[in-house]
Amino acid sequence: MAACYRLRERLSVGLINIDNFRVAAVDQLRTYADLLEVPLRVVTSPREMPQALQELATVDLVLIDTAGRSPNDVMKLKELRSYLQAAQADEIQLVLSLTSDRRLLERTVEASRCPSNGCC
């Protein structure tokens, strides 16, 4: 997504990483940000989000990279929600792997529609 907006749409893009779960996630995104010549901020708690957004205030678009979450992991979904609330996100995109089983994808999409499990 960052490459599309940066290279095709010619927008200035900033990245925020909140994936502090996956090993080397920050390093991987930092390499990608360097290749695209876009700024990257790493946020480890929702309290840090306003500062990161302030540092990226001059870009056209800020994309926030999150760790994948199971639709059954209510605690992790609540944590993700707190980051997104702190960011006051204008739009949220659900990104799925097309190599996943179709039934799993359908369950994930359905669960993302604010299930009754209290994560939304």
Side-chain angles (χ1 to χ4, degrees):
M1 290 175 69
C4 179
Y5 286 115
R6 171 83 169 96
L7 302 173
R8 272 195 224 157
E9 303 295 327
R10 304 222 183 263
L11 294 175
S12 59
V13 175
L15 300 174
I16 294 178
N17 183 297
I18 64 172
D19 184 357
N20 50 25
F21 175 74
R22 217 170 24 101
V23 175
V26 173
D27 294 332
Q28 183 180 14
L29 193 58
R30 182 167 283 119
T31 299
Y32 193 68
D34 289 346
L35 288 171
L36 289 174
E37 299 178 344
V38 300
L40 169 67
R41 299 296 177 267
V42 178
V43 171
T44 60
S45 76
R47 288 188 322 268
E48 296 174 3
M49 186 64 74
Q51 178 65 35
L53 290 167
Q54 179 62 35
E55 292 172 8
L56 298 173
T58 60
V59 300
D60 297 321
L61 177 67
V62 175
L63 298 173
I64 301 173
D65 183 44
T66 67
R69 298 288 185 229
S70 166
N72 301 319
D73 192 340
V74 175
M75 292 299 289
K76 291 293 184 184
L77 291 174
K78 284 183 178 183
E79 177 186 53
L80 175 59
R81 181 178 184 220
S82 67
Y83 278 96
L84 297 177
Q85 285 176 330
Q88 299 179 352
D90 293 326
E91 187 175 315
I92 298 171
Q93 300 285 326
L94 176 62
V95 179
L96 302 170
S97 171
L98 289 178
T99 61
S100 297
D101 177 72
R102 180 184 175 99
R103 289 176 299 220
L104 174 63
L105 292 173
E106 289 170 350
R107 283 196 310 267
T108 303
V109 168
E110 190 58 38
S112 73
R113 292 189 177 130
C114 198
S116 60
N117 65 14
C119 72
C120 297

